[in-house]
Amino acid sequence: MSITRRNFVAGSAAVSALALTGAPARAATTLRVAHSSPDSSLIQQAMLKFKDEVEAATEGRIAITIFANGLLGDEGPVNEAVGDGSIDMGLGGVVDAIDPRLNVVSLPFLFESFDKVHAVLDGPVGDELKAMAPARGYEILGFLDSGFRSFTNNNGPIAAPADISGLKMRCPPIPVIIETIKVLGALPQSIPYGEVYTALQSGVVDGAEPELRDFYDAKWYEVQKFLSLSNYVWTANYWYANKARLDGLDEADRAAVFAAAANTQTWFREGIKKVYGEIIETLKAAGVTVNDLDVAPFKDMVGPVYETFSKEYGADLVDAIRKAAA
């Protein structure tokens, strides 16, 4: 058979195959998701659930690649990288690249429970926060709980404001948290998440104000003897994406991403409530001294924080979230 004849037969066979099977599937679109939490964390479990659901719903047209442990950078750099499109999605509490006003959720002693947090974020206030993102090139997919933050140190239990006065406390680079720690009399130290263990171990800082899962997942309890439960601040693990990247998806695939994010948020909220009680008992068993503190005298001190951030975030927004949380 001549080369021309063989080529004709091969081409005919390919056309016949396409007629039977339809057009070949296009290559998968890969979305890269970055966060700073460890592989063993509830955040990572949530992202694995999201990955499975998106890939199943889109029949493999979208693939999700997850980068945990701060592999692509700390929260601030990831937030900026999602904005410029070098990363597709990120999670974290440092979201100034989107809008500093998103930190309004972290005003001190604002929320009393997870249920109250979720009710506020699922209502008009949550809609207002999400609406801040598109103009800066982002979409907010959801609000995952970073959780309630408490005080840790190696000097002794913190039971009154005098006990925290003068302590060097590691804080994330979130202005409202830094200002709150200052008002309470401590000395805030902004140290990247991945460097906190060493800073605590070496005594570069006296303590921290971690969320319980971070305290446990990152093993900070190995180098901190005292945990004083205050729930002085709730912080969001904002889940956001590059808007242009999502807008470039087919309508059905974009809808699948948002549906999977909503389902994952619901799953995560139930998970974190269960995990909190278990973690406290595990920390006690590991030798950490845990105490509850009366928040009233601390709460009486934070009026200046509300005054400062009412000016910065807008009095209307601060009033709206305070009324919704009340």
Side-chain angles (χ1 to χ4, degrees), residues 86-152:
S86 55
I87 301 174
D88 302 306
M89 293 184 185
L91 295 104
V94 182
V95 288
D96 283 4
I98 303 175
D99 194 313
R101 292 176 297 166
L102 292 172
N103 293 312
V104 71
V105 298
S106 296
L107 285 165
F109 304 106
L110 181 63
F111 297 111
E112 295 180 353
S113 68
F114 282 118
D115 287 343
K116 180 62 74 173
V117 171
H118 300 157
V120 170
L121 293 180
D122 290 345
V125 169
D127 292 340
E128 185 173 355
L129 296 176
K130 286 183 177 180
M132 296 175 185
R136 298 298 301 273
Y138 295 82
E139 289 271 8
I140 292 176
L141 296 174
F143 308 97
L144 299 189
D145 300 80
S146 184
F148 286 99
R149 306 178 77 87
S150 290
F151 305 129
T152 73

Side-chain angles (χ1 to χ4, degrees), residues 117-229:
V117 171
H118 300 157
V120 170
L121 293 180
D122 290 345
V125 169
D127 292 340
E128 185 173 355
L129 296 176
K130 286 183 177 180
M132 296 175 185
R136 298 298 301 273
Y138 295 82
E139 289 271 8
I140 292 176
L141 296 174
F143 308 97
L144 299 189
D145 300 80
S146 184
F148 286 99
R149 306 178 77 87
S150 290
F151 305 129
T152 73
N153 79 108
N154 278 330
N155 293 359
I158 293 172
D163 299 324
I164 197 173
S165 180
L167 292 184
K168 292 183 291 184
M169 302 290 282
R170 182 270 170 179
C171 301
I174 297 175
V176 67
I177 290 181
I178 292 172
E179 187 63 25
T180 300
I181 292 298
K182 285 181 182 178
V183 166
L184 294 179
L187 307 173
Q189 311 290 311
S190 291
I191 295 172
Y193 181 89
E195 300 173 19
V196 175
Y197 185 101
T198 302
L200 293 169
Q201 185 180 43
S202 64
V204 169
V205 291
D206 299 309
E209 45 71 78
E211 185 270 333
L212 283 183
R213 288 174 306 108
D214 283 343
F215 187 60
Y216 177 74
D217 290 339
K219 302 186 184 300
W220 296 353
Y221 65 88
E222 294 178 348
V223 290
Q224 292 278 271
K225 298 176 182 178
F226 300 97
L227 168 64
S228 301
L229 298 173

Side-chain angles (χ1 to χ4, degrees), residues 208-255:
E209 45 71 78
E211 185 270 333
L212 283 183
R213 288 174 306 108
D214 283 343
F215 187 60
Y216 177 74
D217 290 339
K219 302 186 184 300
W220 296 353
Y221 65 88
E222 294 178 348
V223 290
Q224 292 278 271
K225 298 176 182 178
F226 300 97
L227 168 64
S228 301
L229 298 173
S230 63
N231 289 353
Y232 88 105
V233 155
W234 178 89
T235 49
N237 213 323
Y238 278 102
W239 187 2
Y240 50 85
N242 180 276
K243 186 178 187 301
R245 188 73 162 128
L246 293 186
D247 288 347
L249 301 176
D250 288 352
E251 184 176 347
D253 289 348
R254 176 182 162 88

Side-chain angles (χ1 to χ4, degrees), residues 25-82:
R26 65 181 185 274
T29 295
T30 299
L31 298 179
R32 304 197 309 162
V33 184
H35 65 84
S36 296
S37 298
D39 287 330
S40 58
S41 65
L42 192 65
I43 285 289
Q44 176 68 355
Q45 293 176 41
M47 291 303 98
L48 290 170
K49 174 179 172 58
F50 173 69
K51 169 185 170 70
D52 290 345
E53 187 163 332
V54 168
E55 291 178 352
T58 62
E59 298 179 336
R61 292 187 300 275
I62 297 178
I64 305 293
T65 303
I66 304 166
F67 297 88
N69 290 306
L71 189 62
L72 298 186
D74 207 41
E75 291 185 358
V78 165
N79 189 219
E80 294 173 1
V82 171

